[in-house]
Amino acid sequence: MGIEQCSVVVPTVGRPSLDVLLDALAAASGPRPAEIVLVDDRPSGEPLRPERPGLPPVRVVRTGGGGPARARNLGWRTARTEWIAFLDDDVVPGPDWYSRLAADLADLPVDVAGSQGRIRVPLPEHRRPTDWERGTAGLATSAWITADLAYRRAALAAVGGFDERFPHAFREDSDLALRVVDTGARLVRGQRRTTHPVRPVDRWVSVRVQAGNADDVLMRRLHGRGWRERAAAPLGRRPQHLAVTAAGLAAVGLAAARRPRAAAAAALAWAAATAEFARARIAPGPRDRAEVATMLATSALIPPLATWHVLRGVVRHRRVRPWRGLPDLVLFDRDGTLVRDYPYNGDPELVKPVPGAREAVDALRARGVRVGVVSNQSGVARGLITREQVDACTSRLAELLGPFHTVQVCPHGPDDGCTCRKPAPGLVEAACAEAGVDPARCVVIGDIGADVEAAAAAGAAGILVPTPVTRRSEVDAAPRRAATLTEAVDAVLAGEW
């Protein structure tokens, strides 16, 4: 495979490190990939200005602020190349990164779904590293982190991409890797090299990152008890944190119960354990005044916060289901679903979108989901309208709702014996074939039973949005229903399809 079949996806919140990354990519030698997709994950702000000589074509898309998992999903969904290479916005690729990426991806067996680069974390040479620097250095040996990791696009589509229930840049890449491996695919390490500098932080960063304990609970719910061994993720000090927190709570409770000796014993246990934790963090570090003060303060806060986030994760993720992600393609019936139903309409002026249609379709496009139309138009076979009139109405639909990736029309009558007229699967199959999408990753939204039956016949998912003309038997038989088009699309975007 040539590197022209690879897109580079970079999620970013506009940090200064992005300029360093883009400068490195502009200066690197070797053949260029098809494009760089910058995913701006800020809720607002001035547009990014990535242009500089030496870069491949750069495209900027915006999430409006959804977190790193959603940003990466939007990036790979809007790309159309065979491979997607993810880079974080705070890394510095090597000077020959393009050439090494091309070599890493060339002639990989079909069962290899991903290739990880080799990460180097430079630490200070003139002193011992701080607690934060030592933690960042662990990225050099972490498994399947997306600081530099290329995936086949088909592998991402097969598992629904990154699980957007991971709100932080933590564990979402390990979760994806485990799901990809569970399909029978392999992940390998390449030879390209990328530097991950230690970014500057304030003294409370180790307190904030304790929120990741809730993500660890989600990992266990999704992948079982053995997930740490599979993901090469050590347990750390969580059992000690639980014990320290229990001792502190016991000291407070016993004091309130006027049992001073027992309270003092619990307080002593808490103090001793906290001191041991602080010592373990201080000893390998620079031991200067600022680091020691930070370690003392945060060592008292980390155990209860870690415990709190564990409990929060237990409650929040108690009924979690496997991630399905978004479909690759959503197909809409036209009359009665996207637009008001005027029987055998051939007049573009009568094409009137139903309430919320434009917003619903745009919401899918904004998340990188392709959209299409599948429509029975038996009026052509009946001699009531012409194919040219159907096409004119379709053009008007695109003017009102925006462009569609695929439009499939059946002009036959119910007695013509064709394989395309819904509830036959032909229209759905043709739309999926044109889009290059597995029908299992497609959703069909319509207003009558024939729409959901066509979806089922093609191996796609169907959602019925009933109207007053929908038969009660069709509503009862539909596996999924929504009261409105907006509600149907919201369910799809929530992964419920």
Side-chain angles (χ1 to χ4, degrees), residues 325-358:
L326 302 182
D328 293 334
L329 176 67
V330 174
L331 300 173
F332 295 92
D333 171 58
R334 195 188 80 177
D335 302 317
T337 301
L338 287 176
V339 300
R340 299 186 185 280
D341 188 10
Y342 294 96
Y344 309 118
N345 177 43
D347 183 357
E349 293 300 316
L350 294 180
V351 176
K352 306 293 184 182
V354 302
R358 179 68 195 234

Side-chain angles (χ1 to χ4, degrees), residues 99-124:
S99 299
R100 286 182 177 262
L101 174 64
D104 286 344
L105 302 184
D107 302 321
L108 283 176
V110 293
D111 67 326
V112 173
S115 167
Q116 181 173 330
R118 298 181 181 271
I119 304 297
R120 184 181 73 91
V121 180
L123 295 177

Side-chain angles (χ1 to χ4, degrees), residues 45-381:
E46 292 296 320
L48 298 176
R49 302 189 181 280
E51 300 82 6
R52 60 204 70 198
L55 286 178
V58 179
R59 185 158 50 93
V60 179
V61 295
R62 300 194 71 159
T63 65
R70 179 175 294 183
R72 293 191 186 105
N73 281 341
L74 178 58
W76 73 260
R77 286 187 178 281
T78 59
R80 292 290 173 262
T81 50
E82 179 184 353
W83 284 89
I84 310 294
F86 295 100
L87 288 174
D88 284 351
D89 72 348
D90 56 353
V91 302
V92 183
D96 56 355
W97 188 81
Y98 291 128
S99 299
R100 286 182 177 262
L101 174 64
D104 286 344
L105 302 184
D107 302 321
L108 283 176
V110 293
D111 67 326
V112 173
S115 167
Q116 181 173 330
R118 298 181 181 271
I119 304 297
R120 184 181 73 91
V121 180
L123 295 177
E125 298 179 356
H126 62 283
R127 60 166 173 79
R128 294 180 176 183
T130 63
D131 179 71
W132 173 249
E133 290 167 342
R134 295 194 305 275
T136 304
L139 296 174
T141 55
S142 295
W144 319 127
I145 59 171
T146 44
D148 182 351
L149 181 56
Y151 274 106
R152 290 188 192 272
R153 191 185 188 283
L156 295 168
V159 300
F162 293 86
D163 189 334
E164 296 176 15
R165 294 170 296 187
F166 289 90
H168 315 98
F170 184 71
R171 301 300 189 214
E172 84 291 352
D173 40 18
S174 297
D175 166 74
L176 174 64
L178 293 184
R179 287 187 285 118
V180 169
V181 169
D182 285 342
T183 67
R186 290 189 297 132
L187 303 177
V188 299
R189 287 187 182 271
Q191 296 302 313
R192 64 192 184 279
R193 297 187 178 277
T194 296
T195 298
H196 194 304
V198 179
R199 59 184 173 89
V201 294
D202 62 69
R203 69 187 304 179
W204 304 109
V205 64
S206 61
V207 172
R208 292 195 299 274
V209 300
Q210 299 309 311
N213 283 281
D215 298 337
D216 282 352
V217 175
L218 179 55
M219 287 292 289
R220 178 168 174 168
R221 289 281 192 268
L222 294 171
H223 300 288
R225 291 177 176 268
W227 75 268
R228 289 186 177 277
E229 290 74 20
R230 297 181 62 203
L235 177 60
R237 297 181 66 100
R238 182 182 295 171
Q240 294 93 319
H241 291 337
L242 292 173
V244 172
T245 303
L249 292 174
V252 174
L254 290 167
R258 298 182 179 180
R259 298 176 59 186
R261 290 186 178 181
L268 182 61
W270 173 86
T274 301
E276 184 277 329
F277 180 38
R279 185 203 63 78
R281 300 173 72 205
I282 292 170
R287 306 182 195 177
D288 56 37
R289 179 177 298 179
E291 178 75 356
V292 170
T294 297
M295 295 300 98
L296 290 174
T298 57
S299 294
L301 295 173
I302 286 174
L305 282 173
T307 302
W308 161 251
H309 286 298
V310 169
L311 296 175
R312 181 173 62 86
V314 169
V315 173
R316 181 175 184 179
H317 302 306
R318 63 189 182 280
R319 293 190 180 94
V320 71
R321 297 181 179 179
W323 175 254
R324 194 174 187 186
L326 302 182
D328 293 334
L329 176 67
V330 174
L331 300 173
F332 295 92
D333 171 58
R334 195 188 80 177
D335 302 317
T337 301
L338 287 176
V339 300
R340 299 186 185 280
D341 188 10
Y342 294 96
Y344 309 118
N345 177 43
D347 183 357
E349 293 300 316
L350 294 180
V351 176
K352 306 293 184 182
V354 302
R358 179 68 195 234
E359 293 80 4
V361 176
D362 280 347
L364 290 166
R365 294 188 183 109
R367 296 284 293 277
V369 179
R370 285 172 281 180
V371 293
V373 175
V374 285
S375 179
N376 288 349
Q377 295 294 328
S378 66
V380 176

